[in-house]
Amino acid sequence: MNIMASPLRFIQRASFCQSALSWEGGVSMVQGASRGIGLEFVRQLLEKKEKGHVIATCRNPSVATGLLDLKKKFEERLNILPLDVTVERTIEEAGDSVRSIYGSLNLLINASGILSIPNVLQPETALAKVQKSSLMLEYEVNAVGPILVLKHLWPLLKAGGGCGTERDVAVVANLSARVGSIGDNHLGGWHSYRASKAALNQLTKTISVELARKKDPVSCILLHPGTVDTDLSRPFQRNVPEGKLFTKEFSVERLLSIINNTKLSDNGKFFAWDGQEIPW
């Protein structure tokens, strides 16, 4: 360990935080927060910390009962905003709201994603079942949406860095999936979902290179939550091995531990829920 580097880094960070708008406990944003893993992220960010503000976004906040219940309990710390990842205007408007209220951001979690929609979208078990509409829809929601959110929130993350938190950097955590790994693909199938998550991985990795080149105090990581008992996975849980179906509480607790310990050197990495790196 370089004993001279730590004090210098502390001085640089203190100087940066003095020039940036800092909120005690930090400001976190969870995109795709109305249910499932996203909602659980919001709950744990609020309940496991006494300080810090959380912005939760979803397509229709008025019917997001889980978020509305949390709002009653954490009225001063939780802000709910409308955002639809398929409509860039709503992303830009949400970013403008965050900018006007908070001025900076320390954590962005992109949690939205789709795998199946009854009578519309089903994971393909063979090439013959692949449809253009499925490929385009999953790409739009699972890959394009999160990157557009990052596009509009990046200046706020740069302004926030790790100020007000225990981290040295702001963190962007995009929820991916192990099936998005090309190197780990030994079973095939699920063409649209695999491809959309592989695209998310590549886009996130490319952005991480750009942020590193600019020396921004932001670390972009990808997270695989495991197979979690949510609406997304419920139709496909029959073949999950015993002990490999996680609760939302367990998965999010593990993922938050990874996020809270993320360093600048982790920028561009792909982690599973247990902290192990996943091959591209």
Side-chain angles (χ1 to χ4, degrees), residues 237-256:
Q237 293 177 5
R238 183 176 58 184
N239 297 321
V240 177
E242 185 176 353
K244 293 298 184 180
L245 180 63
F246 303 144
T247 65
K248 298 186 293 290
E249 293 80 4
F250 174 84
S251 178
V252 169
E253 184 177 11
R254 291 300 185 96
L255 297 180
L256 278 177

Side-chain angles (χ1 to χ4, degrees), residues 68-261:
L68 295 175
D69 288 342
L70 286 173
K71 180 65 175 177
K72 295 175 183 176
K73 187 176 180 180
F74 299 98
E75 184 175 0
E76 299 299 322
R77 295 176 55 203
L78 176 60
N79 191 355
I80 305 173
L81 297 175
L83 188 156
D84 184 339
V85 293
T86 66
V87 182
E88 187 170 6
R89 173 183 51 80
T90 69
I91 300 173
E92 187 172 6
E93 289 172 351
D96 290 340
S97 295
V98 176
R99 183 179 299 104
S100 64
I101 297 171
Y102 302 98
S104 62
L105 195 62
N106 308 103
L107 171 62
L108 170 62
I109 299 173
N110 277 307
S112 66
I114 58 170
L115 172 58
S116 66
I117 302 174
N119 302 317
V120 176
L121 176 67
Q122 289 295 321
E124 309 92 344
T125 55
L127 176 60
K129 295 183 179 181
V130 172
Q131 297 182 19
K132 179 180 179 180
S133 58
S134 298
L135 287 163
M136 299 303 292
L137 179 57
E138 296 223 34
Y139 185 77
E140 181 179 31
V141 174
N142 295 343
V144 177
I147 298 308
L148 291 179
V149 173
L150 179 51
K151 167 189 169 183
H152 290 285
L153 273 296
W154 163 76
L156 298 176
L157 290 156
K158 178 181 178 181
C163 298
T165 74
E166 297 178 356
R167 300 185 303 268
D168 291 330
V169 293
V171 174
V172 176
N174 288 335
L175 261 61
S176 186
R178 186 180 292 274
V179 296
S181 166
I182 295 175
D184 192 64
N185 184 0
H186 305 293
L187 297 175
W190 290 29
H191 301 70
S192 299
Y193 189 69
R194 285 184 185 274
S196 67
K197 290 299 186 179
L200 174 66
N201 293 352
Q202 179 68 286
L203 288 164
T204 305
K205 175 65 176 180
T206 301
I207 291 168
S208 75
V209 173
E210 178 180 346
L211 297 182
R213 187 183 302 123
K214 294 178 178 178
K215 302 188 184 304
D216 289 342
V218 182
S219 187
C220 293
I221 61 174
L222 291 143
L223 296 175
H224 166 56
T227 303
V228 184
D229 186 12
T230 64
D231 292 341
L232 183 144
S233 70
R234 198 152 291 133
F236 313 100
Q237 293 177 5
R238 183 176 58 184
N239 297 321
V240 177
E242 185 176 353
K244 293 298 184 180
L245 180 63
F246 303 144
T247 65
K248 298 186 293 290
E249 293 80 4
F250 174 84
S251 178
V252 169
E253 184 177 11
R254 291 300 185 96
L255 297 180
L256 278 177
S257 177
I258 295 172
I259 289 170
N260 291 333
N261 289 284

